[in-house]
Structure formats: structure tokens, C-alpha cells
Amino acid sequence: AAIADTLGLSEVIEGSREESLKSALAQRHQLLLLDNLEQVIGCGPAIGMLLADAPDVKVLITSRIPLRIRGEHRYPVGPLPPPDTADAGDVEALKQNPAVGLFVQRARAVRPAFELTPENAAAITAICQRLDGLPLALELASSRLQVLSPAALLAQLTDRLKMLTRGPEDAPIRQRTMRAAIAWSYDLLNTDERAFFRRMAVFPGSFTIETAEAVAADVPLDPLDGIMNLLESSLLQRDERSGDEPRFRMLETLRSYGVEQLAETGEETAVRDAHAAAIVDLAKRAFDGVQSSDQRAWLDRIDHEQENIRGALQWMLSRPDDGRAETVTSSLWRYWDNRGKHVEAREWLERAIAANTDPMTDGHFESIYGLAMLAESQGDIETAGSRLDDAMTVAQSRGDDREIGRRVRPRRQGEIGKVLDGKGFVIRARGDYEGALALHQQALSIARSTGDRALEARALNHIGAVAYVTGDTQAAYGCFAQVVEVFKQEGNQRLLATALLNLGAAASELKDDEQAEALAAESLAVAQQVGEVRTSAMAYMNLSGPAENRGDYDRAWAMSREALPLLKAMEDIYSLSIAAQNLGSIAEKVGQFERSARLLAVSTKFLEQTHSVHGPIEQERFDATVDRVRTALGAERFDAEWATGWSYSVDQLIAEAAVFQSATPPPPPVDERPA
């Protein structure tokens, strides 16, 4: 009827309108524009019939739902791309962003003098990101600038739907508030589709078809059909960053509405529990996955699930403890360690451990042990030692040999072995090498008696480390070589990267720089392949040593410098101390004595912060470098530069390392290693 009216056929008798339209269009070369067609989406077959008899007529339709007829070509109109966080301080770059452009344009409609400035750029960037680049949301938000500053508006956008109101009075009702705009699309869904939409709103991040099915198991709708329907209704987006596995995401503004609906229907608790159960299941599988030959795929999978994991943990920890939070944290601490997410990991582990009401669970031991290992990775030896004591208490409290079954006993022994090995590392860092060796040997004995190959390799690795720091390099090399073979056989690429790293360090001590460099390069390649951040950083530092030995100081400096931002992200103060020491040594070799004093000072400061000490051989070298620098500068200048370096933060260390040029030609290498 609307088409007929527009074409001047309104006087045609209703019964013959269809034939009259077909006749009128048949000879025309014309474009029909049909706007907001989702209101009468059932008219698709009628439009198809008209086009069948009018070969030169085209129809351009705007709709939140496709017609699903033959000949239809869909052109999705997505949100405006929001600005990158990296551009938040670049006003000129922000002016080129379409979301920012629309926001500023509409802001001037209520505040004519409004400008994008360096002072408000960060707030405007965050507003555009938080509103997903949705034009209507940006327009509604900008109207609030009549009263609020961009920073104040951003602070109040925690409840988007409450803030996004007061659209133009002459706009359709559905465009006057964001809630009404979303409700318009929501109301077009059938009952099952609405239920499916509400369940998808529980995902803070992107999700797979598999997890969608788990969360919406109570909805009588095939999850693939449900996802397709929401995609076609513009209520869901495909996540193009997900790689080969299809993943989908709901814009945060739409998700806010869906969560509201979950609460109104009384479904929120059940749906959030279903979401948490899906994350628990995923975490359990990831525990073995990140230690298997397929670990890179698992690491990538968990990368995509970060927002969902955080949301599920937040929900579980807000409920009475049922052990699920610790199941997740105990299963994922190795992933967090691998990705360098130590700060976040330790916070989740601490919260899950504190919430636990059953200290006898496997998850409780593994969470405490994982927390200790993460603290050790950051050089926080005091916390690592304390938590290992807690883990030993839990392992030993599971009952004596008369009370536990045959299947439980090896697991309990394995837990004790892991703690002994960890405690050996802690006291080695404090300088007790005999005690450390005894603990590592106990762990090795337990590993061999229980057939635990992973623990056997770790204990051998640490026995080799004791030999390395006490100067028995040949014994260290032998241990590390065994460890490399174990992890090659086991297919554990992550731990293989570390083993190659240590073997290369031993080769360097044996003055085989060619092998040392090759092993460090292989370690770096394996570590980067599996996304192992800490080992990548250490591999860069190991590549620095051979270059320094042969007098290639520019490369040596560049390799140590590469490690700094990786270690900063992990807050690994101990390894930052070693990197600073490496840089200080290089600076001394090229005659940059002031810089060397500063770097050696910050290295010493960071080492003290971790309550760690150098091994005897390393301490001898460090002291010799300090003595040469002090002699070159004189006591007064040395003390002044040392005080400057002692005040350095991590960022100042990175800034100090940013620019370097060695002497030309470089001085001949000095071999300070004992024969």
C-alpha cells in the first residue's frame, strides 16, 4: 500500500493493487527506497514478487532484520570505529576518527564553543570506546555536555542506559533513549530468541558456539540458529579478531540492556551460574592443555576468554564458596605465568584462597602453590617462601599413608615434591646452596619414585642451577642437557624454552659462545612460538652475553634493552636487576662510566628489594666491575652517580637504556671469566 501510494496508485481498487503495481513497475528503470522495514518484515515475499516482473527495478532497504529472499545482498552498517587508546593524547589523530568527529559535532549543537583539546582528549576517547561507537549513543551522550564536562560524563557512564536519554523531541520515540532503541530490536524477536539474547548478554567478552550452547541449554533453540538470528537482527557481532574459531560479541551497550532483562525475568542467577560452570569446565581442560604439545592453541584460546574468566570469577567470589573459584585459579595460574599476567593472577589467587572453606581440595593446594610460583617469578622471595610453607601444610594434612588410597598417595607425594623443589629455589636465592641442593635432591627422589617426569626435570634443572651459581659449570651443563631431552620427549615447548635457555647459559660459562648464542636464539624462538613472556625476556639477555664477549656492544645493549619492557609488564624486579647489571657491564666496557655506575646502582637496589643475593661467581664479577668504575670516576663522582641510579624507577631504567652508541672502534673484549 505504501509503495502504491508513493507511485500515485492509491485510487486503485484494493483487490487489483498487486497487479497494478506489477504493471506499473514492469517497464520502469527505478530505485525504490524502503526505510525501517523491520516493522513489516513479513513483506519480503511480496517485494520478491514485484521484482520478479520488473527487471530494471532495484530496491534499497534499511532494516535491522534481513528479508531472507533471493537476490538479497546485505551491507552491514556497523558502529563507527572508536579511537585507539594509543591515540588518546594525539588530538590531530583523534580529529580523524569518525566516532570522535560525530561526538564533537553533536556536542557543539549544545555547546557551540566546545573543542577537542589535549585536556579532554583522553576522556572523549574513553567515552567513544565505552559507547561502542554507536551513533545514537554518541548523540545522546553528547547532549549531556550542556551540564557536564567530558570527564564527568565519562564517570557517570557506568549505567549507560540511564544516561543515554533526552533525544530530540521530533525524533521517533525509539530514537529518544538508548533503551528504547534497543527495546525496538528486542521486541521484534520471538520468545525463544529473546531468551537466547538474554543469555548471550551474560558474556562480558566474545564467545564460541560451544559456550553459547552451554549457557543457553534451557532454551529450545539451536544455538547456531540463535546466533544467526541475533547477527541478522544487529544484536550480535562476529568477532573478527578470533582467528579460525568463530567467536561472537555483544556490544556493551546492548549487553547492559540484556543484563537488565535477565534481572527483570528472574533468570540472572541461573544464567550467571551456567556461565560460571562453562568457565570452570574450560579452565579444567586448559590446565592440561597449557602443558601439552598443543599448548599454543590453548594459550590463544584462553587469551580470547579473559573477559569471561574475569566476569565468572567476580560472580563466583560474590557467592557463598563452593570451590569453583579455586578450581579456576588453580587451573589457570600457569597460563597467567606464561603470559606475564602476574599481578592480576596473584590478586585472583589471593581472593580465591581467602574464600576457600575446604582446605582438603586439590584446587586449594594448587592455588597456594601457584601463588608461590608466581611470587617467585617476580622475585618476591619472602611471599614465595611463606606460601610454600602453606602449601606444604595442606599437602601433609591430607592424611597419613594408612588413611589415603593408592591413587591418592602418589599425588600427595608429588605435591610434597613440588613444594620441596620450590623451597629449594627460595633458599638458593637467599644464598643457602647446600640446603637448596638437599631439597632439590629430595624432590628428584620423589619424582623418580612416583614416575613424575615433569617434577624430575624441574628438580634436575634446579640441581643444575645450584651447580651453575657455585661454579661447577660442567655439572650444570650435564643437568641442563638432561632437562632439554626430557622436555623434548614430553613435547612441552614452554618448559623446553626455559631448559634451552639454561643450557645456553652454561655453554657461555664454558666459553662456547657460538653454542650459547645458538641455544639462546632457539630458546627465544620456542618461547615466542608459545607466547612465553618471561623466557623471551631472559633469552634476549642471554643473547646479549655472547655479543658482549666478542665486542659487539651495540647488539649486546640492544638485546638486554629488549627484555626491559617485557619484565616491566610482569613486575619481575629480580630479572630487571639482572638486566640492569648486564647494561652496566656493557657501559663500563665502552667507557661510559657514569652510566655504568647508575645502572649498577639500580641493579643492586632491585636485587635488595627481592631479598635475593648473587651467587659467588656472579658476585665476584659484579664487585670487579664496580671497582673498575669507581677507580675510573673517583670516589666522589662515583658516589654521586650511584645515588642517582639508586633513585631510579623501572621507567627511568628503561629511559636510561633507550639510547646507546658504543665507542668507535670498540675496545677489545675483556674476558673476566675464571678459567
Side-chain angles (χ1 to χ4, degrees):
I3 297 171
D5 287 345
T6 302
L7 294 179
L9 303 175
S10 55
E11 301 303 320
V12 175
I13 300 172
E14 185 171 341
S16 62
R17 182 182 289 151
E18 181 180 306
E19 290 303 318
S20 298
L21 263 179
K22 289 168 67 174
S23 298
L25 292 173
Q27 304 304 317
R28 293 196 184 209
H29 184 83
Q30 193 158 34
L31 173 71
L32 299 182
L33 174 58
L34 307 178
D35 194 26
N36 289 339
L37 206 68
E38 70 270 7
Q39 303 172 80
V40 286
I41 202 64
C43 71
I47 291 172
M49 178 195 66
L50 292 178
L51 291 175
D53 293 328
D56 290 326
V57 172
K58 303 295 182 185
V59 179
L60 178 62
I61 294 163
T62 71
S63 174
R64 302 189 188 191
I65 304 173
L67 294 181
R68 298 195 187 115
I69 61 174
R70 286 179 297 176
E72 181 179 33
H73 293 264
R74 302 175 191 174
Y75 295 86
V77 182
L80 299 173
D84 292 331
T85 303
D87 291 335
D90 187 341
V91 172
E92 292 307 312
L94 289 176
K95 286 180 179 178
Q96 306 306 313
N97 179 265
V100 172
L102 176 63
F103 182 82
V104 172
Q105 179 194 68
R106 299 312 302 152
R108 287 174 179 160
V110 295
R111 281 176 59 185
F114 184 82
E115 293 289 342
L116 175 66
T117 66
E119 291 71 30
N120 63 26
I124 291 174
T125 297
I127 289 168
C128 294
Q129 291 173 337
R130 194 165 294 180
L131 297 179
D132 305 308
L134 289 168
L136 177 60
L138 293 169
E139 182 163 352
L140 294 173
S142 66
S143 69
R144 297 289 183 174
L145 294 180
Q146 191 171 2
V147 175
L148 302 173
S149 68
L153 172 60
L154 176 63
Q156 294 199 30
L157 276 181
T158 50
D159 187 344
R160 296 166 176 79
L161 300 181
K162 181 179 178 181
M163 283 294 295
L164 300 178
T165 58
R166 301 177 64 86
E169 290 297 321
D170 60 343
I173 293 175
R174 66 179 183 278
Q175 294 178 7
R176 295 181 195 173
T177 71
M178 200 67 215
R179 182 179 282 106
I182 300 170
W184 174 266
S185 290
Y186 178 72
D187 291 341
L188 293 171
L189 303 175
N190 65 37
T191 301
D192 290 341
E193 289 168 345
R194 291 178 195 173
F196 191 82
F197 168 79
R198 293 193 296 271
R199 280 146 185 78
M200 297 308 98
V202 80
F203 290 101
S206 65
F207 56 88
T208 64
I209 297 172
E210 175 191 8
T211 48
E213 183 175 15
V215 169
D218 62 326
V219 179
L221 183 68
D222 181 273
L224 184 57
D225 289 339
I227 288 171
M228 287 183 64
N229 291 340
L230 295 186
L231 284 171
E232 292 179 344
S233 301
S234 304
L235 292 171
L236 211 57
Q237 292 188 322
R238 180 161 182 151
D239 189 343
E240 300 298 341
R241 303 165 298 173
S242 60
D244 292 336
E245 183 180 34
R247 296 186 70 89
F248 308 91
R249 176 184 293 274
M250 189 175 289
L251 295 178
E252 193 59 33
T253 310
L254 302 177
R255 185 173 167 267
S256 297
Y257 181 84
V259 171
E260 271 190 4
Q261 297 303 306
L262 275 178
E264 287 185 13
T265 58
E267 299 167 321
E268 185 174 11
T269 298
V271 173
R272 288 196 182 277
D273 278 339
H275 176 252
I279 295 302
V280 170
D281 178 66
L282 178 67
K284 286 179 179 178
R285 289 183 285 141
F287 179 78
D288 293 322
V290 298
Q291 301 177 80
S292 71
S293 58
D294 197 28
Q295 59 191 310
R296 183 53 190 261
W298 273 102
L299 291 168
D300 290 344
R301 169 75 187 273
I302 302 302
D303 282 343
H304 290 304
E305 298 288 354
Q306 285 303 288
E307 293 168 279
N308 292 317
I309 290 166
R310 293 177 185 125
L313 280 171
Q314 200 72 13
W315 170 254
M316 289 183 281
L317 289 168
S318 72
R319 313 287 292 171
D321 178 64
D322 55 11
R324 292 189 299 174
E326 262 198 339
T327 298
V328 173
T329 57
S330 65
S331 298
L332 293 181
W333 75 262
R334 284 180 173 82
Y335 161 80
W336 284 317
D337 185 35
N338 180 283
R339 289 303 200 223
K341 299 177 181 292
H342 294 75
V343 177
E344 178 183 4
R346 288 178 65 176
E347 180 181 346
W348 286 125
L349 284 159
E350 291 278 13
R351 291 179 62 186
I353 290 166
N356 177 272
T357 57
D358 182 5
M360 293 298 104
T361 62
D362 295 338
H364 191 52
F365 168 83
E366 192 66 30
S367 284
I368 297 172
Y369 174 74
L371 183 55
M373 293 299 97
L374 290 165
E376 175 269 308
S377 289
Q378 291 184 290
D380 184 356
I381 300 302
E382 293 299 313
T383 299
S386 173
R387 283 304 187 176
L388 284 168
D389 289 340
D390 295 340
M392 181 65 83
T393 299
V394 172
Q396 291 176 333
S397 67
R398 294 175 182 259
D400 60 33
D401 285 348
R402 293 169 298 177
E403 297 172 329
I404 58 180
R406 292 181 180 178
R407 295 176 63 186
V408 176
R409 191 176 298 116
R411 185 179 66 204
R412 174 183 175 235
Q413 288 298 105
E415 291 174 352
I416 291 173
K418 286 160 64 175
V419 174
L420 290 171
D421 190 56
K423 288 173 73 68
F425 185 96
V426 168
I427 67 171
R428 171 162 62 87
R430 293 170 176 158
D432 183 356
Y433 304 113
E434 288 185 9
L437 183 60
L439 288 168
H440 294 319
Q441 287 173 336
Q442 287 183 59
L444 179 62
S445 176
I446 290 173
R448 286 174 171 167
S449 69
T450 59
D452 188 336
R453 292 279 281 166
L455 177 58
E456 179 182 1
R458 282 197 297 270
L460 273 172
N461 183 62
H462 290 145
I463 290 169
V466 173
Y468 179 86
V469 298
T470 54
D472 191 353
T473 311
Q474 196 65 55
Y477 186 93
C479 286
F480 295 149
Q482 291 182 63
V483 175
V484 167
E485 287 307 309
V486 169
F487 289 131
K488 281 184 176 179
Q489 293 169 14
E490 295 290 311
N492 191 320
Q493 295 295 98
R494 178 187 174 226
L495 296 181
L496 173 62
T498 304
L500 290 166
L501 189 75
N502 293 339
L503 185 61
S508 180
E509 289 298 310
L510 294 171
K511 301 184 180 180
D512 188 346
D513 283 336
E514 184 176 348
Q515 186 188 29
E517 192 161 27
L519 287 166
E522 185 180 358
S523 172
L524 178 61
V526 174
Q528 290 180 332
Q529 180 185 358
V530 298
E532 174 58 52
V533 177
R534 187 169 190 260
T535 305
S536 295
M538 302 303 291
Y540 279 122
M541 291 200 290
N542 277 21
L543 284 168
S544 176
E548 182 181 350
N549 292 339
R550 65 173 177 265
D552 187 353
Y553 299 122
D554 291 289
R555 175 171 168 78
W557 187 278
M559 290 297 96
S560 284
R561 183 178 58 209
E562 286 290 333
L564 297 179
L566 302 178
L567 297 172
K568 176 193 173 185
M570 297 169 57
E571 296 192 4
D572 184 350
I573 302 301
Y574 175 80
S575 297
L576 281 165
S577 165
I578 304 304
Q581 179 186 339
N582 288 355
L583 294 167
S585 172
I586 297 165
E588 184 268 328
K589 294 263 179 43
V590 300
Q592 297 179 14
F593 299 115
E594 292 89 349
R595 169 178 267 184
S596 179
R598 295 192 296 271
L599 291 165
L600 295 172
V602 71
S603 172
T604 303
K605 171 183 151 182
F606 287 171
L607 192 69
E608 288 187 8
Q609 286 179 359
T610 65
H611 305 286
S612 301
V613 297
H614 288 305
I617 303 300
E618 192 57 44
Q619 188 66 54
E620 181 181 331
R621 291 179 191 163
F622 184 83
D623 291 343
T625 304
V626 170
D627 288 344
R628 288 194 298 273
V629 174
R630 182 185 285 110
T631 299
L633 292 175
E636 186 175 346
R637 283 176 62 202
F638 175 84
D639 289 344
E641 296 297 341
W642 186 274
T644 298
W646 193 270
S647 69
Y648 273 6
S649 65
V650 174
D651 286 335
Q652 287 172 304
L653 167 61
I654 292 173
E656 178 77 69
V659 179
F660 176 81
Q661 185 173 4
S662 65
T664 305
V670 178
D671 191 348
E672 303 157 2
R673 294 173 296 188

